């Protein structure tokens, strides 16, 4: 009788684990998708700020640099958690666009914002749920 109870308890425990594990894995995926979407929104906003600041970047580089810094900070967060090839490519493209824009500002030229906004749009697409 005691072994029957132990066997029933073991079966119940295994069944519960079989139900809980996929749910917790699913939660992790949902949390990662939400984090990706939130980061993509932050980057898209910073790219829009960069676009506005770009025309004045040669005279007032601080605004453009601040927008680039925000994008860099978000990229660091996102880049650390990426395991998706499309997401990784979008992050790499955005990183290159940011670096090129930063180089232009440092050289006293207006930054090319097209590659940054294009990559930010791609990132938003990749991070969109569904």
């Amino acid at each position: 009788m005691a072994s029957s109870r132990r066997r029933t308890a073991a079966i119940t425990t295994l069944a519960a684990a079989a139900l809980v594990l996929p749910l917790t894995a699913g939660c992790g995926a949902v949390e990662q998708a939400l984090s990706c979407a939130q980061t993509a929104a932050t980057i898209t906003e910073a790219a829009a700020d960069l676009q506005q600041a770009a025309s004045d970047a040669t005279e007032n580089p601080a605004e453009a640099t601040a927008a680039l810094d925000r994008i860099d900070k978000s990229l660091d967060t996102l880049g650390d958690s990426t395991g998706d090839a499309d997401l990784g490519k979008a992050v790499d493209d955005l990183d290159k666009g940011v670096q090129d824009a930063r180089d232009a500002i440092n050289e006293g030229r207006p930054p090319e914002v097209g590659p940054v906004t294009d990559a930010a749009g791609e990132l938003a697409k990749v991070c969109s749920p569904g």
Side-chain angles (χ1 to χ4, degrees):
M1 186 116 153
S3 71
S4 175
R5 283 189 201 149
R6 278 186 248 157
R7 187 175 19 191
T8 302
I11 290 171
T12 303
T13 302
L14 287 173
L19 291 173
V20 171
L21 285 175
L23 292 176
T24 58
C27 288
V30 169
E31 286 175 16
Q32 185 174 3
L34 287 174
S35 176
C36 182
Q38 290 170 339
T39 302
T42 300
I43 289 172
T44 301
E45 185 179 298
D49 292 346
L50 173 63
Q51 196 165 20
Q52 282 186 316
S55 60
D56 297 331
T58 55
E59 293 160 20
N60 182 12
E63 283 184 51
T65 300
L68 291 170
D69 290 345
R70 285 196 352 239
I71 294 171
D72 270 340
K73 182 178 177 185
S74 296
L75 280 177
D76 288 344
T77 301
L78 194 57
D80 291 343
S81 65
T82 184
D84 180 272
D86 292 336
L87 181 57
K89 182 178 179 338
V91 168
D92 289 346
D93 290 349
L94 188 52
D95 191 41
K96 182 178 179 342
V98 166
Q99 188 57 53
D100 290 347
R102 194 178 297 281
D103 289 346
I105 291 169
N106 290 339
E107 294 168 5
R109 296 181 290 118
E112 278 290 321
V113 296
V116 175
T117 56
D118 290 349
E122 185 61 28
L123 182 68
K125 223 178 355 176
V126 169
C127 286
S128 294

